[in-house]
């Protein structure tokens, strides 16, 4: 028997229900949907009254989401968008109170577990990590990957979440990992608005799912608009399922199963979702459920009214076809509920949601009110010493519901006003302020990385070892040995990318490994950079350790949206409730031409905060970084030197075991006259230049940055400056890119300016991409001649007598 609180049963199980039980299920569904609508109405009001900053809600989509919730089981995953509140309530993955807590930006992770107030409302997530960073049992829970605002951005990750089920089903060696999957029976549910299907990542994900044949169920909520822009400007034929008919599977050919159903038809929706998810779950066939005739009673968001762009006829139609009104009509016609019972239910629901709203606001303000009173007590005490501070206190007292911003700003102003005062009252206020600084740092600035014991920053360096007769081999062979050892050790390690599988990547780092470990672990992909990254994110969320390859660094730009919006921000936006410990592998720096010689490091530094950025100078260093990252639990991005795969290096005795410490520079050559800092391919030129500079009496110290995020945690660069007093940073990025990043760190964080007796300088590439050919490389990127002459010029500026003009 299904109780009213159990909303996981479906209407198609009627044969197991009495009519009374059936009524209870339906009435319970309607109550959830009605409360969700009330949450939308009241949430919108809270924004308009100023208590909340912005609101976006799921009104008009309630009934379809009830049907979807019925077929969502423990172990399943959601990668959706910010209209899915009814689904989240119906599955129990979120509550109305948590929705309001997020609306108010409550920074308490207990009260707002999705993001601890870091995301705007209706950006949902479940916490699949314990406080110590260990995994929760995913098959015992319903799982929701963290939402992002960028339209269709969730689609890339969805591919990986669904692909994980396929791999768990296909690879018998993974049966032991039953906390992540039970025979791959889990479905990845994706949701998207009809207008967002215009995005390229949507089509990329659709194609990838069709090729991979994975249990991915996409629901398109179609309300005929994208904010104010109607479907005729969004979609060919104004119908996404119509134009995707070519993806419909045929006998003997892979593809999708495509369903179409109206968003206000409760029985049809329940039946459609039952059929669709059965196929998806059992046969591992991707499905698309196009939910049409959806309305949006409150408009797109609190930023405007839809009456501005919808005709009266359209608004009248939406009122008539509101899904709650239609569900009520059906319930009354089917004798499931009476008018009086329905009225009582709705009145009680309104009271309940209003009460929840008040509780959420009271929870939000409780700690803040305590902090306000503490601050006022201290301000009043200081006001007895400094007259001007009394005005600050009066203004703060008059603010009935201040945020922390107003409290802390008042305290800071008071401290400025009392700058000449040296009383104990001022000391008490300063101490309180410093305590609050720490608390607020935890609330608003923490967990860019998860920071667990397994962080790669806690992995100690293990030295590479050689023996007397260690062979000199191509650098690619060192990488190959590293990957081989790690794949042998960890059955959850997988790798994929363009040309990675069959031929072992274009530079042979994976040569022969697909044949050894199979296509389920090392595989080719299509040319689809966004979903290659998304594939990695979803797999990593489900316990795998993926290496996702983007063939060349220049083409990372095609995936930068997914890297930046999703992977880089994941730990931060969930306050370490979710992680995706994947590695992005690529190659770049010097080779030939505008699109195969890129070093856009500044772009990465500015957009990938939350990902460790590794820039090894050779393949041995790269292998050591892979070994470190694979022992940690945070994402990494490794840029191999494109021109180093066939340069000779010693084959290590421990290719899968030695580790390079992240955030530690390496001094390649000690010197006394000037500090030269570089990374990657340019470092070879810098090292050669340092040798020639000795002929001119210049003893340069050469430092390899090794990693840029993090950079030089032990501040060894400033220790070098204490000897040399001169600094030159050389790299292949454009002016103001990575070299500026390094320079700022050394001057500001490391206080390197104290030790300089000459202007610090940078030597970078020209402010454009490199033209094709060796001449193009020479005239657009730092050359050996450039480095030598730049260093000589700097030394000449200090001692012109010793270093006469070259030109």
């Amino acid at each position: 028997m299904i109780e009213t609180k159990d909303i996981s049963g479906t209407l198609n199980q009627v044969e197991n229900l009495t009519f009374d039980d059936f009524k209870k299920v339906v009435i319970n569904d309607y109550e959830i949907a009605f409360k969700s609508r009330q949450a939308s109405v009241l949430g919108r009001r809270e924004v308009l009254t100023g208590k909340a900053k912005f609101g976006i809600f799921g009104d008009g989509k309630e009934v379809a989401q009830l049907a979807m919730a019925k077929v969502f089981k423990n172990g399943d995953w959601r990668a959706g968008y910010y209209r899915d509140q009814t689904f989240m309530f119906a599955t129990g993955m979120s509550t109305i109170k948590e929705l309001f807590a997020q609306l108010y930006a409550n920074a308490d992770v207990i009260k707002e577990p999705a993001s601890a107030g870091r995301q705007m409302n209706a950006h949902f997530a479940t916490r699949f990590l314990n406080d110590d960073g260990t995994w929760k049992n995913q098959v015992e829970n319903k799982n929701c990957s963290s939402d992002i605002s960028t339209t269709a951005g969730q689609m890339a990750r969805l591919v990986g979440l669904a692909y994980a089920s396929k791999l768990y089903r296909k690879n018998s060696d993974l049966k032991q990992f039953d906390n992540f999957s039970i025979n791959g029976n889990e479905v990845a549910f994706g949701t998207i608005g009809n207008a967002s299907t215009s995005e390229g990542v949507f089509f990329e994900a659709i194609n990838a799912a069709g090729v991979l044949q994975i249990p991915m169920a996409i629901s398109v909520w179609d309300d005929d608009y994208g904010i104010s822009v109607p479907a005729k400007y969004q979609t060919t034929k104004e119908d996404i399922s119509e134009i995707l008919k070519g993806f419909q599977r045929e006998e003997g050919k892979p593809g999708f199963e495509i369903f179409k159903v109206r968003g206000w038809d409760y029985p049809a929706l329940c039946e459609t979702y039952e059929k669709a998810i059965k196929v998806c779950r059992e046969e591992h066939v991707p499905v698309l459920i196009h939910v049409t005739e959806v309305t949006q009673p409150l408009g797109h968001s609190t930023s405007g009214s839809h009456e501005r762009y919808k005709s009266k006829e359209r608004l009248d139609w939406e009122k008539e076809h509101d899904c709650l009104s239609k569900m009520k009509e059906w319930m009354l016609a089917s004798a499931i509920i009476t008018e009086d019972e329905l009225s009582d239910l709705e009145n009680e629901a309104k009271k309940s949601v209003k009460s929840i709203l008040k509780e959420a606001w009271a929870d939000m303000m409780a700690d803040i009110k305590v902090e306000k009173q503490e601050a006022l007590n201290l301000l009043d005490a200081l006001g007895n010493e400094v007259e001007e501070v009394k005005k600050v206190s009066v203004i703060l007292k008059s603010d009935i519901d201040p945020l922390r911003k107003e409290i802390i700003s008042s305290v800071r102003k008071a401290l400025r006003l009392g700058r000449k005062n040296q009383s104990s009252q001022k000391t008490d206020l300063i101490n309180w302020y410093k305590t609050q600084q720490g608390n607020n740092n935890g609330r608003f600035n923490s967990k860019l990385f998860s920071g667990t014991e397994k962080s790669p920053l806690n992995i100690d360096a293990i030295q590479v070892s050689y023996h007397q007769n260690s062979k000199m081999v191509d650098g690619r062979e060192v990488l190959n040995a590293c990957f081989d050892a790690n794949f042998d050790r960890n059955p959850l390690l997988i790798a994929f990318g363009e040309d990675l599988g069959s031929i072992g990547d274009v530079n042979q780092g994976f040569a022969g490994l697909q044949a050894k470990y199979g296509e389920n672990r090392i595989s080719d992909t299509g040319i689809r950079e966004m979903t290659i990254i998304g594939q990695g994110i979803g797999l990593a969320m489900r316990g795998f350790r993926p290496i996702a390859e983007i063939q060349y660094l220049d083409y990372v730009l095609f995936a930068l949206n997914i890297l930046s919006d999703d992977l880089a921000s994941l730990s931060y936006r969930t306050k370490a409730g979710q992680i995706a410990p994947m590695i992005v592998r690529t190659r770049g720096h010097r080779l030939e031409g505008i699109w195969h010689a890129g070093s856009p490091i500044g772009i990465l530094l500015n957009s990938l905060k939350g990902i460790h950025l590794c820039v090894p100078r050779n393949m041995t260093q790269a292998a050591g970084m892979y070994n470190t990252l694979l022992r940690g639990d945070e994402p990494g991005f490794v840029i191999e030197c494109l021109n180093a795969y066939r340069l000779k290096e010693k084959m290590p005795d421990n290719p899968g075991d030695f580790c390079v410490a992240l955030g530690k520079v390496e001094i390649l050559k000690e010197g006394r006259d000037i500090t030269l800092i570089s990374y990657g391919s340019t470092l070879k030129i810098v090292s050669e230049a340092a040798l020639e500079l000795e002929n001119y009496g210049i003893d340069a110290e050469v430092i390899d940055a090794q990693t840029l995020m993090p950079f030089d945690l032990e501040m060894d660069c400033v220790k070098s400056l204490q000897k040399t007093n001169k600094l030159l940073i050389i790299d292949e990025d454009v002016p103001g890119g990575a070299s500026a990043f390094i320079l700022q760190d050394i001057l500001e964080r490391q206080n390197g300016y104290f030790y300089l007796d000459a202007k610090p300088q940078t030597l970078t590439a020209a402010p454009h991409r490199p033209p094709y050919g060796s001449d193009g490389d020479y005239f657009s990127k730092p050359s050996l001649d450039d480095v030598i002459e730049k260093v000589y010029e700097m030394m000449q500026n200090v001692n012109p007598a010793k270093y006469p003009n070259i030109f």
Side-chain angles (χ1 to χ4, degrees):
M1 178 176 176
I2 298 178
E3 299 178 3
T4 56
K5 66 179 180 180
D6 182 353
I7 47 76
S8 61
T10 73
L11 289 177
N12 300 79
Q13 296 171 326
V14 173
E15 67 274 11
N16 297 322
L17 301 175
T18 66
F19 185 64
D20 285 341
D21 292 333
F22 170 73
K23 288 198 301 182
K24 288 178 181 178
V25 171
V26 176
I27 292 169
N28 185 72
D29 277 354
Y30 181 77
E31 182 179 4
I32 292 169
F34 187 82
K35 285 182 175 179
S36 180
R37 177 67 62 84
Q38 290 306 301
S40 298
V41 171
L42 293 179
R44 182 179 178 85
R45 290 177 186 171
E46 291 300 275
V47 175
L48 299 180
T49 60
K51 280 187 176 180
K53 196 79 171 176
F54 178 79
I56 194 159
F57 303 98
D59 48 291
K61 300 161 182 65
E62 294 92 349
V63 173
Q65 290 178 20
L66 292 173
M68 185 169 70
K70 290 178 178 297
V71 291
F72 192 88
K73 297 182 178 181
N74 284 352
D76 285 347
W77 281 83
R78 169 187 172 274
Y81 96 128
Y82 41 74
R83 302 290 186 187
D84 292 348
Q85 67 194 52
T86 307
F87 172 78
M88 294 299 292
F89 302 154
T91 56
M93 289 191 289
S94 186
T95 66
I96 293 174
K97 191 172 183 179
E98 289 170 352
L99 177 79
F100 288 143
Q102 194 173 53
L103 182 69
Y104 296 137
N106 193 324
D108 187 333
V109 75
I110 303 299
K111 296 180 176 67
E112 203 283 87
S115 73
R118 296 178 178 190
Q119 293 228 76
M120 70 172 66
N121 77 294
H123 284 59
F124 301 105
T126 55
R127 306 188 73 77
F128 57 69
L129 295 180
N130 297 308
D131 290 340
D132 62 357
T134 56
W135 296 94
K136 293 182 179 180
N137 189 315
Q138 294 182 357
V139 301
E140 294 178 352
N141 296 294
K142 294 180 173 71
N143 306 288
C144 174
S145 60
S146 173
D147 290 348
I148 56 178
S149 293
T150 45
T151 57
Q154 70 273 18
M155 294 297 299
R157 179 195 338 134
L158 179 64
V159 172
L161 292 170
Y163 186 49
S165 289
K166 178 176 181 176
L167 294 182
Y168 279 120
R169 180 172 290 187
K170 292 287 187 181
N171 189 347
S172 59
D173 292 339
L174 302 180
K175 299 291 185 185
Q176 58 184 303
F177 301 105
D178 57 3
N179 58 323
F180 291 112
S181 177
I182 302 298
N183 195 38
N185 290 329
E186 303 78 24
V187 171
F189 288 71
T191 62
I192 190 169
N194 59 293
S196 295
T197 64
S198 303
E199 296 274 14
V201 68
F202 172 81
F203 286 96
E204 197 173 295
I206 289 286
N207 188 50
V211 170
L212 294 170
Q213 287 295 280
I214 50 180
M216 184 170 103
I218 304 164
S219 295
V220 179
W221 311 136
D222 191 344
D223 59 16
D224 285 333
Y225 284 85
I227 307 183
S228 67
V229 180
K232 66 180 181 180
Y233 298 117
Q234 304 280 1
T235 309
T236 304
K237 300 183 180 181
E238 302 183 38
D239 191 318
I240 189 63
S241 57
E242 182 71 20
I243 64 173
L244 291 178
K245 281 184 177 179
F247 285 88
Q248 174 67 49
R249 69 171 175 166
E250 303 170 5
E251 187 174 349
K253 295 181 180 181
F256 272 71
E257 283 294 343
I258 299 174
F259 300 82
K260 198 169 188 176
V261 61
R262 293 175 298 193
W264 48 264
D265 191 338
Y266 177 73
L269 283 161
C270 291
E271 181 180 2
T272 299
Y273 272 95
E274 174 85 5
K275 289 179 180 178
I277 304 307
K278 180 178 175 63
V279 170
C280 189
R281 192 182 305 279
E282 295 179 2
E283 300 181 43
H284 272 202
V285 172
V287 299
L288 183 136
I289 303 102
H290 184 191
V291 182
T292 64
E293 298 189 21
V294 172
T295 66
Q296 204 166 62
L298 301 178
H300 174 265
S301 70
T302 56
S303 63
S305 171
H306 62 156
E307 285 85 356
R308 291 182 302 165
Y309 53 84
K310 289 179 181 175
S311 66
K312 181 181 183 301
E313 291 75 18
R314 173 69 191 192
L315 291 169
D316 289 342
W317 180 90
E318 288 195 8
K319 185 175 181 180
E320 180 185 350
H321 288 81
D322 183 294
C323 63
L324 293 190
S325 297
K326 286 290 188 181
M327 186 173 178
K328 280 198 292 186
E329 289 177 13
W330 174 78
M331 291 166 65
L332 292 168
S334 303
I336 290 171
I337 197 169
T338 67
E339 290 274 12
D340 289 342
E341 289 171 335
L342 194 58
S343 178
D344 290 343
L345 182 154
E346 291 181 348
N347 288 333
E348 287 302 313
K350 288 178 180 179
K351 292 177 185 177
S352 174
V353 176
K354 195 170 185 179
S355 175
I356 293 169
L357 179 80
K358 291 179 179 178
E359 289 176 15
W361 179 251
D363 285 349
M364 169 71 181
M365 297 308 298
D367 291 340
I368 295 177
K369 286 181 177 179
V370 171
E371 293 165 24
K372 175 186 175 182
Q373 192 56 55
E374 290 173 350
L376 285 171
N377 293 340
L378 293 166
L379 288 171
D380 288 342
L382 182 58
N384 293 329
E385 302 289 323
V386 182
E387 185 67 24
E388 295 94 328
V389 172
K390 290 182 179 179
K391 295 180 182 178
V392 177
S393 179
V394 168
I395 293 171
L396 182 58
K397 285 175 183 175
S398 68
D399 196 335
I400 298 174
D401 289 321
L403 297 177
R404 289 187 171 95
K405 169 189 172 183
E406 284 75 30
I407 298 169
I408 296 301
S409 182
S410 297
V411 169
R412 294 171 74 176
K413 184 170 184 178
L415 290 172
R416 292 195 299 271
L417 292 170
R419 64 194 181 281
K420 296 179 181 179
N421 183 277
Q422 299 303 320
S423 65
S424 61
Q425 290 83 355
K426 180 183 175 184
T427 300
D428 291 342
L429 185 59
I430 289 172
N431 290 337
W432 184 87
Y433 170 63
K434 288 182 177 179
T435 298
Q436 293 305 312
Q437 274 187 307
N439 293 340
N440 287 323
N441 179 69
R443 291 184 183 108
F444 306 112
N445 308 115
S446 63
K447 300 299 182 181
L448 182 62
F449 293 95
S450 53
T452 69
E453 291 182 2
K454 291 185 178 180
S455 166
L457 300 184
N458 294 328
I459 306 297
D460 293 331
I462 298 175
Q463 293 301 310
V464 60
S465 65
Y466 303 100
H467 60 269
Q468 187 174 2
N469 297 316
S470 291
K471 292 172 58 178
M472 296 296 291
V473 297
D474 288 349
R476 62 183 177 81
E477 296 180 63
V478 176
L479 272 184
N480 189 275
C482 163
F483 292 138
D484 190 7
N486 280 288
F487 271 80
D488 184 63
R489 178 166 45 225
N490 184 358
L492 289 171
L493 180 58
I494 59 175
F496 47 87
E498 299 161 18
D499 301 299
L500 184 73
S502 178
I503 68 170
D505 87 45
V506 292
N507 296 102
Q508 298 293 282
F510 272 86
L513 297 186
Q514 186 187 73
K516 184 173 183 179
Y517 294 104
E519 291 187 31
N520 288 328
R521 296 191 63 192
I522 299 170
S523 58
D524 290 313
T525 69
I527 300 175
R528 48 177 180 85
E529 283 81 6
M530 285 185 286
T531 48
I532 287 173
I533 297 301
Q535 196 168 314
I537 295 171
L539 287 167
M541 287 179 163
R542 295 195 59 187
F544 285 95
R545 293 308 309 267
I547 298 174
E549 177 173 312
I550 302 296
Q551 195 163 104
Y552 296 107
L553 180 57
D554 304 81
Y555 298 99
V556 166
L557 298 182
F558 284 84
L560 195 60
N561 54 340
I562 308 302
L563 284 165
S564 183
D565 291 337
D566 203 346
L567 181 61
S569 71
L570 179 62
S571 177
Y572 174 79
R573 73 178 190 267
T574 61
K575 201 174 184 181
Q578 297 188 359
I579 56 171
M582 65 177 287
I583 295 173
V584 180
R585 178 192 181 219
T586 189
R587 51 193 65 83
H589 310 310
R590 293 175 179 264
L591 191 64
E592 304 294 351
I594 292 173
W595 287 285
H596 292 86
S599 296
I601 308 300
I603 293 175
L604 305 182
L605 288 169
N606 285 302
S607 59
L608 300 188
K609 303 295 185 187
I611 302 175
H612 297 297
L613 181 57
C614 303
V615 283
R617 67 182 182 271
N618 58 35
M619 299 309 159
T620 301
Q621 294 302 98
M625 292 171 185
Y626 285 121
N627 289 334
T628 300
L629 289 168
L630 288 170
R631 283 156 180 75
D633 64 354
E634 295 167 352
F637 192 107
V638 181
I639 305 171
E640 298 164 12
C641 296
L642 191 50
N643 59 353
Y645 290 105
R646 285 174 173 77
L647 297 181
K648 298 299 181 183
E649 302 179 34
K650 276 187 180 181
M651 174 61 76
D653 295 333
N654 56 343
D657 297 313
F658 75 95
C659 294
V660 172
L662 305 190
K664 183 170 177 59
V665 303
E666 183 177 357
I667 298 175
L668 302 184
K669 176 186 176 298
E670 293 193 357
R672 65 179 183 275
D673 292 329
I674 187 169
T675 299
L676 307 181
I677 301 173
S678 190
Y679 60 87
S681 292
T682 309
L683 199 61
K684 184 174 183 293
I685 290 171
V686 173
S687 295
E688 292 171 358
L691 294 178
E692 183 171 335
L693 285 166
E694 290 179 353
N695 297 333
Y696 313 119
I698 300 173
D699 186 14
E701 183 146 296
V702 179
I703 297 178
D704 180 3
Q706 296 203 107
T707 63
L708 294 177
M709 292 193 294
F711 173 70
D712 193 10
L713 296 176
E714 297 178 6
M715 296 196 286
D716 288 322
C717 290
V718 75
K719 296 171 189 173
S720 175
L721 287 189
Q722 291 173 17
K723 287 189 304 179
T724 68
N725 310 117
K726 290 174 282 297
L727 174 64
L728 176 64
I729 300 164
I730 310 100
D731 84 316
E732 296 182 34
D733 201 357
V734 297
S739 58
F741 169 83
I742 295 171
L743 182 61
Q744 180 190 24
D745 187 278
I746 294 171
L747 294 184
E748 295 184 10
R749 182 177 67 92
Q750 302 189 32
N751 291 321
Y753 69 94
F754 280 124
Y755 306 102
L756 293 171
D757 59 15
K759 180 176 70 173
Q761 298 204 42
T762 63
L763 178 61
T764 69
H768 57 72
R769 295 189 181 191
Y772 175 67
S774 298
D775 282 348
D777 180 89
Y778 180 82
F779 289 105
S780 62
K781 290 195 172 189
S783 67
L784 176 66
D785 301 317
D786 293 330
V787 176
I788 293 169
E789 290 165 12
K790 186 67 172 180
V791 172
Y792 189 91
E793 175 192 333
M794 291 176 68
M795 296 301 296
Q796 183 190 42
N797 289 338
V798 174
N799 190 344
K802 185 175 180 180
Y803 303 102
N805 288 335
I806 297 175
F807 298 103

